[in-house]
Amino acid sequence: MFLKAQRSRVAAAGLAVVALIAAGCGSSGSGRSADADTLVVYTGQSGDYQVNFNPFSPTLIDGPGTIFEPLFFFNVIKDVEPRPRLGKSFSWNAEGTELSIELRDDATWSDGQRFTAKDVVFTLDMITKNKTMNSTGYQGRATAVDDTHVVVAFDEPAFMEGPQVLGKIFIVPEHLWKDIATPATDPVKSPVGTGPFLLDEFKPQAFTLKANPGYYAGEPAVKKIRYLSLSGNQAGADALKAGQVDWQTGPVPDIENVEKNYPGYKAIITPMNQAALFTCSNAELGCTGAQTDPAVRKAIYYGVNRSQVNALAFEGTASEVSPGFALVRRDEGVVSAKLKERTAPMSPDVARATGLLEGAGYTRGGDGIYAKDGEPLELTVKVVAGWTDYITAVDTMGQQLQQVGIKITPQQLSWNEWSDARGRGQYELLIDAVQQGPAPDPFYTYSYFFSSATTAPAGEIANPNFGRMKDAALDAALASLKRIDPKDAAARQPHFDVIQTRIEEVMPYIPILTGGTASEYNAEKFTGWPTEDDLYAFPAVWSRPENSEVFLKLKPAGR
């Protein structure tokens, strides 16, 4: 599946799940949902939903793009002009220290209040006061010129802040949020937004959004979106087979033959998110365990047979990954030539792995497992129950790593438990994906997952530098990139070189593969889906706000 957002448990009760879907959605004689205007989606939610529509919370269930909007939508897959949402236009001054934004004047909050520049300024000011809400590391100062114009000032050139401020910060209503005492943790059970959808009904097993009749761009053609909680990947495939889910992102058996095996459905595979073993890597920030030793992290890196993992866990849909975490295909021009390895080895190097451990003072015991100071090299990997592709990947790597004297034990958790452990650094290893930012530029991945500004001591919530990397050279390179016009490739590359080589050296996230993110969708019931020829948005149902762009494009077939 290769995703960060909610996925769920292994299906032990597939028949019961299908019965639940049928009861909640109804089905026609063809197996399709009876309500032709309702889009039924499965994001991979683990267990019951816990109501949380706070767009700044790491445990939110939905909201960004659907209920709460950004100012613009940036396509993370390809470099195209951003599409206006709450914004109309924007421009930088020549120095890159002042971002001027023109807002639309016809948007209203779903409670009838008018949207204005004050809401934008309030939102930006709020996240600067609450570090855990500030996942982009925003450090500007916003001023409302009038109701439809905002100026954001920066102390130094900040060109790279543009797509983050404009495309990754979701605007909330000042008149309601100013009274929230703890906006970083409030679950926001009754969300009020400007977006194309409203909360219709919430139940722990499923919640429903409905089209916003007052949406400034017109009421969406998709009248309802029903989010299901199932029991895992197999249950998702079963529901797809029964025609009772219209869109899901995740593995299904024989992915290459979806149109044959699931009549009426099509699939699209997009290489984007980079699967990795996350590590709580930084002992100085309170991380504990053998994974805090770089030699252990690198021994795991060299001990993995990625070709075998790809074949057994991902049906061959994954591809090579760079240890510097620039996307090998999209970012080919900026993958550093100074990396020791341009891509992670697809075959294991047992001698190199064991040499790293022995050089760090580990001794192999009679049971084949290395130990140091009497402590065997045994680590636990947290994985969400039901993420069958990731579970298979962890099981496969566990067998492979026995050859290099490392024992890893999978620990299956609900998504909520896993997400909380990830945020607080309460793990040794954890399988997830390093994701992209608001625009097709690796700078954003680096500023999110590797910057000191987005991490925290173990026990406190990091968002989203979960690996807790804190490196002065990398931070300095990020600061330099912010000041450079992104069109100046030559000036940027030395800083990308620093970032990628530092990531390769420290390795807080052990790269596995670049995921071929697979989505299956009901092409017979709805039209307007992203295609290989028209990737107007990353086509993953759990990706926000990308999914809202798809929701807005879709139309019931025949309309």
Side-chain angles (χ1 to χ4, degrees), residues 79-99:
D79 190 8
V80 295
E81 287 296 314
R83 191 179 82 80
R85 295 285 293 251
L86 287 174
K88 290 180 66 176
S89 65
F90 64 91
S91 62
W92 283 99
N93 66 354
E95 295 78 18
T97 57
E98 191 172 281
L99 175 63

Side-chain angles (χ1 to χ4, degrees), residues 279-289 291-292 425 427 456-458 466-468:
T279 78
C280 191
S281 65
N282 195 335
E284 292 182 0
L285 288 181
C287 297
T288 59
Q291 83 288 345
T292 59
Y427 67 93
F466 305 119
R468 287 166 164 77

Side-chain angles (χ1 to χ4, degrees), residues 33-48:
S33 300
D35 188 344
D37 293 340
T38 297
L39 178 74
V40 183
V41 302
Y42 175 47
T43 65
Q45 167 63 23
S46 173
D48 287 349

Side-chain angles (χ1 to χ4, degrees), residues 54-175:
N54 185 335
F56 304 103
S57 169
T59 58
L60 83 164
I61 58 174
D62 196 64
T66 50
I67 297 173
F68 301 101
E69 293 188 282
L71 299 174
F72 293 84
F73 171 73
F74 288 76
N75 191 328
V76 70
I77 297 177
K78 53 186 178 181
D79 190 8
V80 295
E81 287 296 314
R83 191 179 82 80
R85 295 285 293 251
L86 287 174
K88 290 180 66 176
S89 65
F90 64 91
S91 62
W92 283 99
N93 66 354
E95 295 78 18
T97 57
E98 191 172 281
L99 175 63
S100 298
I101 309 166
E102 181 184 8
L103 306 174
R104 61 187 316 125
D105 61 3
D106 56 351
T108 59
W109 298 102
S110 56
D111 63 359
Q113 294 270 1
R114 185 185 173 207
F115 160 77
T116 74
K118 291 182 179 180
D119 297 305
V120 177
V121 172
F122 169 80
T123 302
L124 295 175
D125 287 350
M126 177 181 62
I127 67 172
T128 61
K129 298 172 185 175
N130 294 272
K131 180 180 178 182
T132 59
M133 301 174 73
N134 192 4
S135 61
T136 69
Y138 166 74
Q139 295 178 343
R141 298 180 306 280
T143 303
V145 178
D146 55 36
D147 282 353
T148 58
H149 292 83
V150 172
V151 173
V152 183
F154 299 89
D155 290 334
E156 55 188 18
F159 289 105
M160 297 308 295
E161 291 285 359
Q164 301 190 116
V165 173
L166 300 169
K168 209 66 176 178
I169 295 174
F170 302 96
I171 309 304
V172 298
E174 178 186 21
H175 66 280

Side-chain angles (χ1 to χ4, degrees), residues 58-400:
T59 58
L60 83 164
I61 58 174
D62 196 64
T66 50
I67 297 173
F68 301 101
E69 293 188 282
L71 299 174
F72 293 84
F73 171 73
F74 288 76
N75 191 328
V76 70
I77 297 177
K78 53 186 178 181
D79 190 8
V80 295
E81 287 296 314
R83 191 179 82 80
R85 295 285 293 251
L86 287 174
K88 290 180 66 176
S89 65
F90 64 91
S91 62
W92 283 99
N93 66 354
E95 295 78 18
T97 57
E98 191 172 281
L99 175 63
S100 298
I101 309 166
E102 181 184 8
L103 306 174
R104 61 187 316 125
D105 61 3
D106 56 351
T108 59
W109 298 102
S110 56
D111 63 359
Q113 294 270 1
R114 185 185 173 207
F115 160 77
T116 74
K118 291 182 179 180
D119 297 305
V120 177
V121 172
F122 169 80
T123 302
L124 295 175
D125 287 350
M126 177 181 62
I127 67 172
T128 61
K129 298 172 185 175
N130 294 272
K131 180 180 178 182
T132 59
M133 301 174 73
N134 192 4
S135 61
T136 69
Y138 166 74
Q139 295 178 343
R141 298 180 306 280
T143 303
V145 178
D146 55 36
D147 282 353
T148 58
H149 292 83
V150 172
V151 173
V152 183
F154 299 89
D155 290 334
E156 55 188 18
F159 289 105
M160 297 308 295
E161 291 285 359
Q164 301 190 116
V165 173
L166 300 169
K168 209 66 176 178
I169 295 174
F170 302 96
I171 309 304
V172 298
E174 178 186 21
H175 66 280
L176 297 176
W177 280 64
K178 64 182 176 59
D179 296 323
I180 298 177
T182 55
T185 57
D186 190 287
V188 185
K189 297 180 180 180
S190 301
V192 172
T194 59
F197 293 92
L198 313 171
L199 177 60
D200 183 33
E201 179 184 45
F202 176 83
K203 293 182 179 179
Q205 296 79 27
F207 69 89
T208 304
L209 304 183
K210 63 182 179 181
N212 181 358
Y215 188 51
Y216 55 79
E219 183 176 344
V222 174
K223 299 308 177 188
K224 290 191 176 184
I225 305 168
R226 183 169 293 119
Y227 289 74
L228 299 179
S229 171
L230 303 181
S231 61
N233 292 348
Q234 184 58 55
D238 291 344
L240 204 72
K241 189 76 171 178
Q244 294 165 328
V245 168
D246 299 315
W247 185 17
Q248 74 158 14
T249 301
V252 295
D254 194 16
I255 187 68
E256 296 296 327
N257 292 298
V258 163
E259 293 185 44
K260 173 184 175 182
N261 298 332
Y262 304 87
Y265 287 79
K266 293 185 178 182
I268 186 168
I269 299 174
T270 313
M272 183 61 62
N273 293 331
Q274 297 162 99
L277 287 174
F278 287 27
T279 78
C280 191
S281 65
N282 195 335
E284 292 182 0
L285 288 181
C287 297
T288 59
Q291 83 288 345
T292 59
D293 186 341
V296 171
R297 300 196 292 270
K298 292 177 184 178
I300 294 172
Y301 171 80
Y302 285 111
V304 172
N305 184 332
R306 290 172 176 81
S307 293
Q308 187 180 52
V309 171
N310 192 12
L312 296 180
F314 306 124
E315 296 190 60
T317 61
S319 56
E320 290 182 316
V321 64
S322 173
F325 282 97
L327 279 170
V328 177
R329 296 182 189 178
R330 188 195 69 184
D331 305 326
E332 182 178 1
V334 299
V335 175
S336 178
K338 295 187 176 182
L339 288 166
K340 294 177 182 177
E341 295 169 330
R342 177 181 172 85
T343 58
M346 296 300 288
S347 299
D349 188 337
V350 174
R352 190 163 187 177
T354 55
L356 282 164
L357 294 176
E358 290 170 5
Y362 289 86
T363 303
R364 201 158 196 165
D367 59 357
I369 302 300
Y370 278 96
K372 186 176 182 179
D373 299 327
E375 294 292 330
L377 188 42
E378 299 178 355
L379 296 166
T380 298
V381 185
K382 295 185 187 296
V383 59
V384 175
W387 294 6
T388 53
D389 51 347
Y390 275 180
I391 291 169
T392 301
V394 171
D395 287 342
T396 301
M397 288 187 286
Q399 295 175 27
Q400 295 168 354

